[in-house]
Amino acid sequence: MKMIHVILVFVALFSSYIPNATCINNDFCVADLSRPKTPLGYQCKSEKDVTVDDFIFSGFVAGNASKLFNLGITFVNVEKLPGLNGLGISTVRADLGVNGSVPLHSHPDATELVIIVEGQVNIGFITPTKIFLKDAKPGDVIVVPKGQLHFLVNTGPKKAVAFAAFSSSDPSVQTLDLLLFGNDLSTSVLSKTTLLDAAQIQKLKVAFGGKN
Ligand SMILES: *[C@@H]1O[C@H](CO)[C@@H](O)[C@H](O)[C@H]1NC(C)=O
Ligand SMILES: *[C@@H]1O[C@H](CO)[C@@H](O)[C@H](O)[C@H]1NC(C)=O
């Protein structure tokens, strides 16, 4: 291949990596939330429309406690903080009342770093061969590897607070109870596939909004 051809191939290769020309210095791509979300995230907001407010979220306060789990959750993902788009990071805070818990769930696309800020919690994740469980206290940092089914339980006499960071700007959340009891999958199928009895399934369907 002649040198000019080699150069042209390189130019062609690299030009396909140059993102949308509206990106500022190609260093970030603030989400344009008015356009549809794609599997790769949101498209970039035009540079002239980007402001400092795209990089700040001011509501990182305790969420209202849910009745079922006595848990307040405040997620700050790309929809709340458009500047996170494409940066592979986001955050959440969990406020657990007395006896509160974060129910069993997983993030198939994100590793989570949990920082205990207040109170005492039992935190763990479950693998096919082992349970990794810890009584954690303020100052403890726990990493939950991507995809692991995990939970927190407030084991202290007062409220507990944990902050967490995710390795995704828009982590998905799969909550076990909602997958099982928050939809129309029939009690008969659930009973056969989990061996739970029908009465218990019906009770949980009422709690999580499922039918059938
Ligand atoms: C909690 O609920 C109240 C009343 O509905 C609402 O005004 C407030 O914004 C909620 N707090 C949060 C953090 O969502
Ligand atoms: C928390 O749970 C324990 C039993 O596990 C119970 O004795 C206690 O009353 C509960 N506290 C509250 C505030 O619900």
Side-chain angles (χ1 to χ4, degrees), residues 61-64 74:
V61 297
N64 287 317
T74 307

Side-chain angles (χ1 to χ4, degrees), residues 192-205:
K192 289 187 176 106
T193 54
T194 63
L195 304 183
L196 289 169
D197 61 65
Q200 181 65 45
I201 292 169
Q202 288 285 310
K203 198 175 125 190
L204 288 164
K205 275 181 173 288

Side-chain angles (χ1 to χ4, degrees), residues 117-131:
V117 175
E118 190 181 327
Q120 298 169 35
V121 299
N122 193 227
I123 178 169
F125 62 93
I126 302 168
T127 75
T129 52
K130 199 164 176 180
I131 301 166

Side-chain angles (χ1 to χ4, degrees), residues 118-190:
E118 190 181 327
Q120 298 169 35
V121 299
N122 193 227
I123 178 169
F125 62 93
I126 302 168
T127 75
T129 52
K130 199 164 176 180
I131 301 166
F132 297 89
L133 197 61
K134 181 79 181 169
D135 283 318
K137 57 183 189 314
D140 289 347
V141 179
I142 302 102
V143 61
V144 178
K146 186 191 280 194
Q148 304 302 318
L149 200 57
H150 59 287
F151 61 87
L152 277 81
V153 176
N154 183 355
T155 50
K158 294 186 180 151
K159 72 174 280 195
V161 183
F163 289 0
F166 297 103
S167 63
S168 163
S169 60
D170 199 10
S172 59
V173 185
Q174 300 208 336
T175 303
L176 195 58
D177 285 318
L178 286 172
L179 291 173
L180 289 172
F181 311 114
N183 52 42
D184 294 347
L185 190 58
S186 74
T187 297
S188 152
V189 167
L190 274 171

